[in-house]
Structures are given as structure tokens and as C-alpha cells.
Amino acid sequence: MKDHAVELANTGKFENQLTTAKGEARAHVKLSHAQTLWFNTGTLCNITCVNCYILSSPTNDSLVYLTVADVETYLAQVKTRNWPVREIAFTGGEPYMNPQFNAMCRAALEAGYEVLVLTNAMRPMMRKSVRAGIAALVAEFGDQMTFRVSLDHYAQTHHDEMRGEGAFEKTIEGMDWLASLGARMAVAGRMLWGESEADERAGYATLFAARCYDIDAMNPGMCVLFPEMDETVEVPEITTACWGVLNKSPNDVMCSSSRMVVKRKGADHPVVLACTLLPYSDEFEMGQTLAEAEADVYLNHAHCAKFCVLGGASCSA
């Protein structure tokens, strides 16, 4: 189902999978180089953030916890389908809310993949038993595992504006602990406060230097600055002709290289989605298996245009 805000801002658009409101052929993307398989470990989170794209909160269990067995099933399918996956990525909610999460990471790491963990580095991660599991993984696998910490802004006031009073301090505590392990860290921020990208990166660089974090603020893969996904803003539809006009390739778009596994509340089994950003859109659910998920993806959502094609953003490292 289409989001109501998107419908209001883009009346008449994104209605037909194959054609735009003007009757032009809608752009579509093939899974040309499957590099990242995402797992959403569940939408429960320890905090509620302003404008969270997936509406994570302490009460939202629309996507329920995956299990180690679920992850292992899809890792086996990666091998069977001969996908050239290099990275297994985990997101939420807050992944460390899931009691099996460290075991999921171990399964992916032992299978030989790089692992990317998206976390707020707050209390769920800092529980004693969880920290023991993380420390063991870092000691054994080192830089094969990356912790991308959600740090919305380098300034405490702006970060707490999004995540609640005291959130910045708790996240920094978690990052300090990860740094003490020698864990490989990255950061995800938001382009929300009217700063230029250069100024925002400079602010992060100052923070990283002050706290001795080995994170290159100038590297877009290590300091990821996401454009704000305002669903009330009108955006253009992407046609097949747009690739030439924009001098872009379908291979540049996230759904050419990734898929995401989720389990919906009340469902008997997980399913595979085309995109990490559209967990509640039925149109982007591709089936239960990776074989089904090899189908083309039609760019029939405002996020496809603003975030991926025009914004050039990617959730992967």
C-alpha cells in the first residue's frame, strides 16, 4: 500500500508499476551484482527517533525478531544461487534488542562474509552479556566486522533533538567502548540542519579526532550522510530515459546490488524485500526465496527517485 503522505505530495504518481503518470516507461533495475544481503532483525528499538523511516520504537513489532536459523537458511541460499555477496548487513530497530543477534553475526562471519551492523550503540549493546559476545567476535574476526553507529550529528544538541535527551552521551559511551576493543567503526549521520556536506564532515572529523576514533570523516563509506527522506515533498518519477539524461546507470542504484530479509508479525516465514527503505510496501515484497528475489525492481516509489537515483545514497558500505 502507498504511504498517505506520498500520495498527497505526489498525486497521480507512483500508481502504475510499469508506466509513470505521463504514460512513459518506468525505469526498472536488475539484480546485476548482488553484493549485500540485509537482515532486519526486528523493528523493536530502545528509543523512538524523529522521522525514523521504519518507525522503530519500544512498541513497534511490525517486523518481528529473526532467528539464527532464519539467517543460516538464507546464507545457504546465497551459496545455492551463486550470488557474489561480500557483505551481510544487519539493521533494525536496534539489532542488539534481538537476543540471538551475536549468534547471527557469528554465523555470517564464520561463513566468510564481511558483516555490517547498524546500531545506536546504546544500552542494548552495552549489556554485560552482549558486550562479552561482541568482544569475542571482534577478537576473533577483527575488521571483518564493522559497526556503523547512528550519530545523527556531531553536535550533542542536534543528535538529542532527534533521539531524546541524553542519547548523544550514551552513544558516545558505546563508541568509546567499541574503540577500546579496536573494533572497526563507521558513522551514519543526517543532512538535516542546512549545513554543507563539507562543513558537516569537518564537524565529524573534529569529533573523531577529539575522541581518537579511527573513522575517516571524508570517506562517504565510513561517514555516511543520508539525505532526509521527507515523504511530503514532491519528486519526479524516474523513466527509462532518465538514465541518459542524468548520466546514471541502473547499476548505481541500491536494488541492483542488495536485498533485505524480514519477518512480518503473524507470518509463518520470512520474506525478501527489494529495498531496505520500503519495509511496509507490499509492492516491493518479492517472495520467500532469493530465487524469487532475482526479479527486476520497478522504481515505483518516491524514495526510489529522491533517495537512490537523485540522492545517490546507499545503505551499504
Side-chain angles (χ1 to χ4, degrees):
M1 296 179 64
K2 299 293 181 186
D3 298 304
H4 183 57
V6 173
E7 289 179 344
L8 292 176
N10 298 283
T11 302
K13 297 180 179 180
F14 307 109
E15 297 295 333
N16 186 291
Q17 183 186 46
L18 302 181
T19 59
T20 69
K22 295 182 179 179
E24 299 170 292
R26 186 177 302 285
H28 62 277
V29 174
K30 294 182 179 298
L31 185 67
S32 58
H33 52 297
Q35 295 185 348
T36 303
L37 181 60
W38 287 86
F39 292 92
N40 187 300
T41 62
T43 40
L44 287 174
C45 187
N46 56 301
I47 56 175
T48 302
C49 300
V50 176
N51 293 338
C52 175
Y53 81 95
I54 203 169
L55 305 176
S56 297
S57 76
T59 59
N60 181 11
D61 60 351
S62 298
L63 302 182
V64 298
Y65 288 154
L66 291 176
T67 67
V68 178
D70 293 329
V71 171
E72 290 174 340
T73 294
Y74 284 97
L75 294 180
Q77 289 184 42
V78 169
K79 300 294 187 184
T80 299
R81 302 303 301 170
N82 198 31
W83 283 18
V85 167
R86 63 171 180 80
E87 175 185 63
I88 301 299
F90 295 98
T91 185
E94 169 52 47
Y96 286 107
M97 297 280 285
N98 188 315
Q100 297 190 34
F101 184 56
N102 274 332
M104 294 179 194
C105 290
R106 177 168 291 279
L109 290 162
E110 289 181 345
Y113 298 106
E114 297 175 29
V115 165
L116 175 65
V117 176
L118 274 56
T119 177
N120 58 36
M122 295 175 74
R123 290 293 180 252
M125 188 192 79
M126 293 295 282
R127 288 173 291 167
K128 185 176 180 179
S129 60
V130 175
R131 282 190 287 129
I134 293 171
L137 291 173
V138 171
E140 187 171 349
F141 296 98
D143 285 354
Q144 190 179 333
M145 188 175 188
T146 300
F147 299 83
R148 182 192 290 168
V149 179
S150 297
L151 194 66
D152 289 334
H153 197 265
Y154 56 84
Q156 179 174 347
T157 52
H158 286 327
H159 180 84
D160 285 1
E161 178 185 341
M162 297 291 104
R163 294 176 180 257
E165 185 176 354
F168 184 87
E169 183 179 352
K170 292 173 183 176
T171 292
I172 291 297
E173 178 187 355
M175 293 182 72
D176 286 349
W177 178 74
L178 288 170
S180 75
L181 296 180
R184 188 171 190 260
M185 286 195 296
V187 155
R190 294 164 75 169
M191 297 288 292
L192 184 60
W193 290 276
E195 291 176 283
S196 69
E197 181 176 338
D199 286 345
E200 192 156 346
R201 291 193 181 281
Y204 278 108
T206 298
L207 173 66
F208 298 159
R211 305 206 70 87
C212 299
Y213 296 159
D214 185 18
I215 305 174
D216 182 359
M218 304 304 156
N219 181 342
M222 298 304 292
C223 186
V224 186
L225 300 181
F226 288 117
E228 198 62 15
M229 295 186 292
D230 185 351
E231 296 186 346
T232 66
V233 175
E234 185 177 3
V235 295
E237 296 183 282
I238 304 300
T239 69
T240 55
C242 287
W243 300 122
V245 173
L246 297 171
N247 194 28
K248 292 195 173 188
S249 164
N251 292 339
D252 298 332
V253 182
M254 190 163 55
C255 52
S256 70
S257 62
S258 69
R259 294 290 186 264
M260 183 169 76
V261 177
V262 306
K263 188 174 183 182
R264 303 196 188 284
K265 186 176 182 177
D268 294 329
H269 48 72
V271 292
V272 187
L273 308 184
C275 179
T276 61
L277 303 177
L278 299 169
Y280 305 125
S281 182
D282 295 342
E283 182 179 341
F284 290 87
E285 183 175 312
M286 307 191 78
Q288 298 179 36
T289 68
L290 296 189
E292 294 170 287
E294 291 171 359
D296 292 355
V297 178
Y298 285 82
L299 304 185
N300 194 26
H301 195 281
H303 287 348
C304 303
K306 184 177 181 183
F307 187 85
C308 295
V309 178
L310 300 177
S314 174
C315 293
S316 178

